[in-house]
Amino acid sequence: MTQKLKKHRRSDKAGLPPGSLVHVGEKKMGDVALHLMRYGVDVLDERSLSDFHDYERKDSAGVIDWLDVVGLHEAPLIEEIGETFSIHPLVLEDILNTEQRPKTDEYEDFLYVVLKMLDIDEQTGDLTIEQVSFILKDNLVISFQERIGDVFEPVRERIRSAAGRFRRLGADYLLYALMDSVVDRYFVILERLGEQIEDTEDLLLAHPDQETVRSIYKMKRELLILRHAVWPLREAVNTIRKTESSLIQLQTRTYFGDLYDHVIQNIDTVENFRETVSGMLDLYLSSLSNRMNDVMKVLTVIATLFIPLTFIVGIYGMNFKYMPELEWKLGYPFVWVIMGFIAFAMIYLFKRKKWL
């Protein structure tokens, strides 16, 4: 039997002073993994670190360090990293709290950015969410992830290939590239949701059922996750775009402006999809109401047809001795003819009034 990982809650920090390092959230992997990419125009050093003490900072001109920390549940390691790079305790506290909203905080010698990285589970098709934090310093970017597996592989490939201007630009451009990878993934997820919405709309118009309703509510939950990830990110990116910090070079601000436009596009798409999905629920309820009306209409017509017929047979079912038609030889077929004529006449009247 698989042991369920313990989830630390905000209540675990109740009563502790500000800056107390307690992991909040679910432990999503075992041991913490460290990965280093050191690159420049003519430099490339990529390796996994078995321990943080294996990392040695080299302040060489034009050489960028990207330290990727995967796993946030070991608070002592995060504290050691914070002491080494002089990161404020409140920032370390936010890194360990995986329930943070996307934001950007400016400090004297570094920038702190936190955002939500979303992906699609290929096995279940469900939307997965993970918090990613970045520390930007001079020629250094530190990323903190919750688990192995991310959307940063294209960035790693661009660094390895030495193609384009990537290796000639600073750490601020690396931060932009990593954030852009996360935002680009939002587009992929939204395209998938758009296809699901179109398929569900077709089902609603054809044969709506309970499975369709479950799909609608699932899409509503996923769009809510996307909304919580994208809306605050607009402010976070805008803060970087307008910052006066020397860590963000003038030429890189243009790229962050383009990233801001991408975030706005995502927000517009999410809001449009939310309105569409809400309308789908109304469409489903209307479809159910229409189907119920059709059933009730048929039943009402049948009941109405039998009202006069029941009246006729009710009269001739009375046990009176002296009834004129009882002694008539053609009485029985005559009653059938009368009842048939009444039934067909009523059907004709219903069709003429377009009730059928």
Side-chain angles (χ1 to χ4, degrees):
M1 181 179 295
T2 304
Q3 185 177 2
K4 187 176 181 180
L5 298 177
K6 181 181 178 181
K7 181 176 181 179
H8 301 281
R9 303 183 182 277
R10 285 181 177 270
S11 57
D12 295 337
K13 299 180 61 177
L16 297 178
S20 300
L21 301 186
V22 177
H23 176 250
V24 176
E26 182 181 339
K27 179 181 176 182
K28 296 184 177 180
M29 59 175 293
D31 296 333
V32 175
L34 301 172
H35 185 265
L36 172 66
M37 290 195 79
R38 176 172 292 154
Y39 66 91
V41 176
D42 300 316
V43 177
L44 178 61
D45 180 16
E46 180 180 2
R47 64 181 186 271
S48 296
L49 305 179
S50 58
D51 190 84
F52 178 65
H53 296 97
D54 296 337
Y55 173 75
E56 182 181 356
R57 181 85 168 110
K58 295 182 179 180
D59 293 324
S60 302
V63 177
I64 310 299
D65 279 4
W66 173 18
L67 180 62
D68 188 23
V69 182
V70 184
L72 302 180
H73 50 277
E74 292 187 12
L77 174 61
I78 305 301
E79 183 177 12
E80 183 179 2
I81 294 174
E83 292 175 353
T84 302
F85 296 108
S86 301
I87 301 173
H88 197 283
L90 291 179
V91 173
L92 299 178
E93 182 182 13
D94 288 345
I95 291 173
L96 288 172
N97 182 4
T98 60
E99 298 177 359
Q100 284 291 327
R101 68 191 300 270
K103 65 175 182 176
T104 297
D105 289 338
E106 297 184 56
Y107 289 83
E108 184 176 352
D109 59 342
F110 70 91
L111 288 180
Y112 169 61
V113 183
V114 57
L115 67 163
K116 300 298 182 181
M117 181 165 60
L118 306 180
D119 207 349
I120 301 173
D121 192 317
E122 297 298 334
Q123 295 182 348
T124 63
D126 294 334
L127 191 64
T128 61
I129 182 169
E130 174 186 354
Q131 178 168 298
V132 181
S133 300
F134 299 105
I135 298 292
L136 172 65
K137 295 176 70 73
D138 288 325
N139 297 330
L140 172 67
V141 172
I142 310 174
S143 56
F144 298 88
Q145 304 183 58
E146 292 189 65
R147 56 172 170 244
I148 296 175
D150 53 39
V151 298
F152 300 145
E153 194 57 33
V155 177
R156 297 187 181 98
E157 288 298 328
R158 290 168 65 187
I159 295 174
R160 295 180 188 122
S161 65
R165 64 182 67 186
F166 205 111
R167 289 203 192 178
R168 296 195 299 271
L169 296 175
D172 54 343
Y173 185 81
L174 173 60
L175 174 64
Y176 154 76
L178 295 173
M179 295 178 65
D180 187 57
S181 297
V182 174
V183 174
D184 283 347
R185 191 58 178 171
Y186 293 168
F187 283 111
V188 176
I189 295 172
L190 286 171
E191 287 179 2
R192 167 182 169 271
L193 278 173
E195 294 173 355
Q196 288 183 354
I197 289 173
E198 291 179 0
D199 294 340
T200 305
E201 283 179 329
D202 294 338
L203 288 174
L204 278 175
L205 295 175
H207 302 289
D209 53 17
Q210 290 297 321
E211 186 62 31
T212 308
V213 178
R214 282 192 286 269
S215 298
I216 293 174
Y217 278 106
K218 180 182 178 183
M219 288 186 293
K220 284 195 68 174
R221 288 194 299 270
E222 291 178 344
L223 286 170
L224 184 61
I225 293 173
L226 274 163
R227 190 174 190 270
H228 288 165
V230 176
W231 267 98
L233 185 58
R234 177 180 63 173
E235 181 183 349
V237 176
N238 196 41
T239 300
I240 301 176
R241 188 168 63 108
K242 296 183 176 181
T243 183
E244 297 180 357
S245 174
S246 60
L247 294 172
I248 306 296
Q249 302 177 24
L250 182 60
Q251 59 181 341
T252 313
R253 297 178 194 272
T254 304
Y255 294 104
F256 278 104
D258 181 67
L259 179 61
Y260 180 80
D261 292 338
H262 291 174
V263 173
I264 296 298
Q265 292 176 25
N266 276 312
I267 290 175
D268 292 341
T269 305
V270 167
E271 293 305 313
N272 289 336
F273 282 175
R274 278 169 56 86
E275 292 179 4
T276 302
V277 172
S278 297
M280 289 168 63
L281 282 175
D282 295 335
L283 179 61
Y284 173 75
L285 295 176
S286 298
S287 177
L288 283 183
S289 178
N290 290 336
R291 290 175 62 186
M292 181 63 69
N293 289 339
D294 290 340
V295 172
M296 293 302 298
K297 182 170 64 175
V298 172
L299 295 177
T300 302
V301 168
I302 293 174
T304 305
L305 286 174
F306 276 92
I307 288 175
L309 306 185
T310 305
F311 174 73
I312 293 173
V313 299
I315 290 177
Y316 288 100
M318 293 186 296
N319 296 321
F320 291 108
K321 182 176 181 180
Y322 300 103
M323 293 183 69
E325 293 83 359
L326 295 180
E327 303 295 332
W328 187 28
K329 184 177 181 180
L330 298 177
Y332 178 72
F334 179 77
V335 170
W336 272 107
V337 170
I338 291 297
M339 289 193 299
F341 174 78
I342 292 175
F344 282 108
M346 294 181 68
I347 292 175
Y348 173 76
L349 178 63
F350 292 160
K351 285 185 175 291
R352 184 160 184 165
K353 290 183 174 293
K354 297 182 178 180
W355 293 348
L356 288 177

